[in-house]
Amino acid sequence: MKPVRTRFAPSPTGYLHIGGARTALFSWAYARRHGGTFILRIEDTDVARSTPEAVQAIIDGMQWLGLEHDEGPFYQMQRMARYKEVIQEMLAKGSAYYCYTTREELDALRAEQEAKKEKPRYDGRWRPEAGKTLPTPPADVPPVIRFKNPKDGVVAWDDQVKGRIEIANGELDDLIIARADGTPTYNFCVCVDDWDMGITHVIRGDDHVNNTPRQINILAALGAEVPQYAHLSMILGDDGTKLSKRHGAVSVMQYDEDGFLCEAVINYLARLGWSHGDEEVFSRQQFVEWFDLDHITASAAQFNTEKLLWLNQHYMKALPAAELAAKVAPRLAARGVDSATGPDLEKAVALYVDRCNTLNLLADAVEVFYVHVTPNPELLAQHLSEEAKPALADFAAGIATVAWEAPAINALIKETVSKHGLKMPKLAMPLRVILTGQAQTPSVDAVIALIGREKVVAALAQNI
C-alpha cells in the first residue's frame, strides 16, 4: 500500500469552527494511525472573502488543538502558475475547451430550461465534438475554459463513510475550470493539489459530496490516481437543528477563551460521529491507536453541550494542581486579580475544582481569596439571623487564637453551634456569605483555613 497522505484544506473566509476542527482531527488521526503524512492546505482562491486574519485564526486553532501538520501550509494563490500550466496541457489534449457563451446567453438558457421543467445546465454549445462545426469565436467575448466531462457511463466511488455512490455522467455538465480572467476555479485547483501532493485519503464534510464526481472525472482526465473519499456527516445542535453559533458553532479559540481544555475538546470532537465501543473518555494517543474510518457513522452527529462540560470537568480534575493553577492564574490576571496576594493558588483550585466545569468558572470561584469581599446585603440578611449573631460573635473571638488548620477550625464551629443550640447551617451559611460573598462553597472550615486568619478576623469584625 502507498504511504497514507491526508490533508485539511480550509478556506480562510472565517474562523476554524467545530465542524472544520473535527475534519482536521479525523484527517490528522488517520495519518498518525497509519504512520502517514498530514498536510495543511489553505484554499484561498476566494480573494474577495479570504483574509490574513482568517488564515491566522485557522493556524491558531490547529495549534491550540495540537493538530500539528507535517507539510504546509500550502496556499493555492501561490500555485496559480501550476494550475494554468495544467489547464494548457488539458486544452492541448482536448480534455478542456474554450467557451464563449456570455452571461446573458447563459441566463436565457437557464430561463428556457426552467420553463420546460428541465434541470438548468450548460448545453455544450462550444464543446468540440467529432463532426460538429463550432461558431467563429467572437472577438469581444473573453472565454472561460470548461472541462470536457464524459457524456456516457457513471462516475462511482466507494465512500468510506457513505458506501457506494454512483452518479451518471449525463447528470454533470461541463464544469468551468478557469474564469474569463484566467483564474482557475475551486474544483479544478483541488484536483491539481490532491494530485501534486499525492493525497491518498480525502476526509471532509458531506457538503462536498456533490463535488466528488466532478473531481474524480478531472483527476481521471489528468491521469492521476483517485484518492479514497470519506465524507463526514453534518453536526446538529443540541435541539437537532443545524449547528449554529448558539449551539457552539463558534471559533475553536472561543472554547479556549471560555475556559475549556484542548484535551476535552479533542476527546469530545472524536466522539462526534465516531466511536470505539462504549468508550467515552480516552487520551489523544488512545484515539490515534483506535481511529479508523469504518466506525464513522453515516448519520448526523449531535452536539451536546452538557457532555462537553462534563468532559471538561473530568480533564480539569485529572490535572495536577500546579498545572490547573497555571491555567487559572492568567485568567485571574486578565481581570486585574493578582493571585500572589492571597493563599497558594494550587490549594484554592484544588478546593473548588469539583464544583466547576470550566477554567473561567474556577477563576470566578477562587477570585474571592484574592480580592476584598463585600457581601451582598440582601444575601447576608437572608442568612444572618438574630439567633446566629451571638454565635458568630463567639466564633469571631475564638477564631483569633485557634490553631490555623481545618480540623481545629471545624472543632471551633461545632463547639460554637453546640453552645448556642443551633444547627450547623445557622452558623456556616452566614460565615460563607461574609467571607466569600457566596452561599455555596466547599467545606467552610477548609475555606476559612485557606483565606487566612487576618482576613477572616477583619471580615467578621466588619460584618457582625
Side-chain angles (χ1 to χ4, degrees):
M1 291 180 62
K2 291 180 62 177
V4 167
R5 291 176 63 84
T6 67
R7 45 79 159 180
F8 177 52
S11 297
T13 56
Y15 46 71
L16 177 63
H17 54 75
I18 282 293
R22 181 186 64 165
T23 298
L25 172 62
F26 285 12
S27 300
W28 171 87
Y30 193 77
R32 292 289 175 270
R33 170 73 176 81
H34 295 279
T37 302
F38 175 57
I39 296 164
L40 177 59
R41 188 170 78 214
I42 306 297
E43 298 188 339
D44 55 350
T45 54
D46 188 344
V47 178
R49 297 173 60 217
S50 298
T51 66
E53 293 78 12
V55 172
Q56 193 58 51
I58 290 167
I59 292 173
D60 288 347
M62 298 276 287
Q63 288 178 342
W64 182 69
L65 291 169
L67 303 180
E68 68 279 3
H69 51 275
D70 303 304
E71 295 180 13
F74 298 107
Y75 296 87
Q76 286 186 329
M77 287 302 294
Q78 297 175 7
R79 289 175 45 78
M80 286 294 143
R82 171 60 176 156
Y83 303 140
K84 292 176 180 179
E85 174 189 28
V86 174
I87 285 173
Q88 290 304 312
E89 291 172 358
M90 294 176 71
L91 287 168
K93 290 193 306 183
S95 57
Y97 62 93
Y98 290 106
C99 172
Y100 295 86
T101 311
T102 65
R103 170 55 55 190
E104 292 74 19
E105 289 172 331
L106 287 173
D107 289 343
L109 175 63
R110 172 180 288 270
E112 179 183 336
Q113 290 169 334
E114 289 177 345
K116 296 178 179 178
K117 308 297 184 184
E118 297 174 353
K119 179 181 178 179
R121 54 191 295 114
Y122 173 65
D123 60 2
R125 62 185 65 179
W126 286 95
R127 176 183 171 116
E129 303 281 10
K132 178 180 178 180
T133 302
L134 296 176
T136 302
D140 58 345
V141 177
V144 300
I145 299 174
R146 291 183 182 270
F147 170 60
K148 194 175 183 182
N149 195 78
K151 279 189 171 182
D152 302 319
V154 299
V155 55
W157 73 98
D158 293 311
D159 196 279
Q160 301 298 294
V161 175
K162 296 181 174 296
R164 183 75 172 176
I165 297 178
E166 296 186 1
I167 305 291
N169 278 316
E171 292 294 310
L172 308 173
D173 57 5
D174 290 353
L175 181 73
I176 294 174
I177 59 174
R179 303 178 184 90
D181 64 0
T183 308
T185 58
Y186 166 78
N187 272 299
F188 175 74
C189 294
V190 168
C191 293
V192 177
D193 289 342
D194 285 347
W195 179 29
D196 285 354
M197 296 174 191
I199 301 302
T200 60
H201 294 78
V202 173
I203 302 169
R204 60 187 180 186
D206 64 2
D207 52 324
H208 287 283
V209 167
N210 289 339
N211 293 328
T212 304
R214 299 180 182 279
Q215 292 173 8
I216 289 175
N217 281 342
I218 292 173
L219 286 165
L222 295 174
E225 190 168 340
V226 176
Q228 296 286 315
Y229 291 95
H231 289 94
L232 310 177
S233 61
M234 68 186 301
I235 303 173
L236 303 176
D238 298 78
D239 58 2
T241 61
K242 184 178 179 181
L243 193 67
S244 65
K245 287 183 179 181
R246 66 189 175 89
H247 298 110
V250 294
S251 167
V252 164
M253 297 310 296
Q254 185 66 47
Y255 287 92
D256 180 28
E257 293 177 24
D258 290 347
F260 288 86
L261 297 173
C262 66
E263 294 84 0
V265 175
I266 285 287
N267 191 156
Y268 184 71
L269 286 175
R271 289 288 284 111
L272 276 179
W274 173 87
S275 63
H276 182 78
D278 295 326
E279 299 287 346
E280 291 286 350
V281 181
F282 40 82
S283 68
R284 184 186 302 254
Q285 181 179 350
Q286 286 174 316
F287 175 54
V288 168
E289 291 174 358
W290 294 339
F291 184 71
D292 58 15
L293 301 177
D294 295 338
H295 290 87
I296 297 175
T297 178
S299 56
Q302 190 158 353
F303 194 88
N304 186 319
T305 304
E306 289 303 313
K307 182 171 284 189
L308 174 57
L309 288 166
W310 175 83
L311 267 176
N312 199 57
Q313 185 176 43
H314 169 86
Y315 280 96
M316 285 171 58
K317 290 163 68 173
L319 278 181
E323 289 186 36
L324 192 58
K327 293 181 182 296
V328 170
R331 295 173 192 273
L332 291 171
R335 57 183 79 173
V337 177
D338 183 0
S339 56
T341 61
D344 186 343
L345 184 56
E346 290 183 29
K347 294 180 180 177
V349 297
L351 185 60
Y352 271 87
V353 67
D354 285 347
R355 294 170 170 263
C356 304
N357 53 23
T358 70
L359 295 172
N360 288 3
L361 290 177
L362 186 54
D364 291 342
V366 303
E367 182 178 335
V368 297
F369 296 111
Y370 308 98
V371 298
H372 176 73
V373 174
T374 301
N376 180 291
E378 292 182 3
L379 186 62
L380 185 57
Q382 179 183 342
H383 294 288
L384 180 54
S385 63
E386 288 300 320
E387 61 180 327
K389 288 181 179 179
L392 270 172
D394 275 359
F395 178 79
I399 203 70
T401 58
V402 73
W404 205 255
E405 56 186 18
I409 295 168
N410 180 266
L412 178 61
I413 293 172
K414 288 181 177 178
E415 177 186 324
T416 304
V417 294
S418 176
K419 175 183 175 181
H420 290 270
L422 300 175
K423 291 186 177 180
M424 181 68 77
K426 283 291 185 180
L427 180 61
M429 291 302 290
L431 279 174
R432 286 187 169 96
V433 174
I434 289 169
L435 299 175
T436 70
Q438 303 166 348
Q440 301 293 328
T441 72
S443 177
V444 70
D445 53 0
V447 171
I448 291 171
L450 197 55
I451 290 174
R453 191 191 307 271
E454 185 178 335
K455 286 183 69 174
V456 170
V457 169
L460 290 174
Q462 188 178 350
N463 289 283
I464 60 172

